[in-house]
Amino acid sequence: DEMKYLRKHYIGDDEQVKAINRKIGKNDTIVFLGDIGCIDFIRKIRGYKVLICGNHDVGATKYKKEKRTVVYDADIYSAAEAKKKVKEELLDQTITEMQDLQEKLFADNHYGLVIVLQAMDAAGKDGTVKHVFARLNPAGVKVQSFKKPSSEELDHDYMWRINKALPGRGEIGIFNRSHYEEVVVARIHNLIKSDGMPEELVRKDIWESRYRQIRDWERYLSENGFPMVKIFLHLSKNEQKKRLIDRIVTKQKNWKFDMSDIEERKYWNRYQKVYGEVLTATSTKYAPWYIVPADDKWYTRYVVAQIVLKALKAIDPKFPKLSPEVEKQLTQFRPLLKEVDIKDLNTIKTVIDE
């Protein structure tokens, strides 16, 4: 469906959208000035009368005179145009901003950021990690994948292995799957009875209890300088089928094939129901869930990058201030540079770079 990509990133930023929504009334006419694509989509989601004028000046002059008309100056892209713009421009811009903020986060060394990626099989978690985070400084990024618990891990509480994998201050920790496996997979396959829990503690409200425990734990992390952002990559059943078949028929992707992915697909409807309950019960202001469409990889990666960028901006890390002692040393050293031949400085820089 060509119409599914839009709304904030190709109509305008959050504040623009909020401002427009406040102005729109049921009887209003919305006028979009600019290059318009996906206009049928605009009509459907808004349910308002929409007039189009590609010429900004003419449109502004003509339609601003009409009563009960909202004029919105924006460029709306078709899916093909949006894909090209994201891949050639917007994703790089976003990652560049992430790099700058990550450097400050690492230098400041006060906050850590936890990114949770959850999804059905073949939704693109590994690819998202590669394309969104690969260009960050690896010294400040920690990626942890959570697979089937080991015997050692089963001998501890279900959060034990998660706590061990948390990032340090100044780091970004990426969980490829997470503690949410213990309220999704464990529930669907009734693993709770085989993980060592005392029988008297496995009550009817066990899952509600775990939701509460998880919320409390995530609040604890937030209040100690480790905010968490949780992202669910929402893959359609049909797209999952295509990707699983691709793993079978494409030689270069055979290594990705796992029979368990086929087996798990049988529980698709059950997974959707449980995920719906889990996301609703555990999305909070301090640790929100973001549901990201995952059928189109380019779009998924861009939206994930935007979410991470937003989280870094919320932390707002700064380079640490120098101590008075170091500042004094630099003040004393700077005049000495005037006495050094510029050629010597270039030589020193070359040696350092090598």
Side-chain angles (χ1 to χ4, degrees), residues 301-317:
R301 293 161 185 171
Y302 177 59
V303 174
V304 169
Q306 283 286 330
I307 293 168
V308 175
L309 178 60
K310 179 181 178 181
L312 287 168
K313 286 182 176 179
I315 294 173
D316 193 23

Side-chain angles (χ1 to χ4, degrees), residues 116 118 149 158-159 161-162 178-192 195 205-215 218 230 270-271 273-282 289:
V116 169
Q118 282 289 145
Y158 70 94
M159 295 298 294
R161 63 174 182 164
I162 310 298
S178 66
H179 46 299
Y180 283 95
E181 295 292 285
E182 303 302 329
V183 288
V184 176
V185 177
R187 183 173 181 178
I188 288 172
H189 294 288
N190 198 26
L191 301 178
I192 193 76
D195 68 358
D205 64 347
I206 182 65
W207 305 115
E208 287 73 16
S209 296
R210 286 201 170 183
Y211 298 156
R212 174 185 51 77
Q213 292 161 7
I214 288 172
R215 290 194 301 268
E218 292 173 353
K230 302 173 296 192
R270 178 68 171 147
Y271 268 107
K273 182 178 180 179
V274 171
Y275 264 123
E277 180 180 308
V278 169
L279 270 58
T280 300
T282 59
W289 273 107

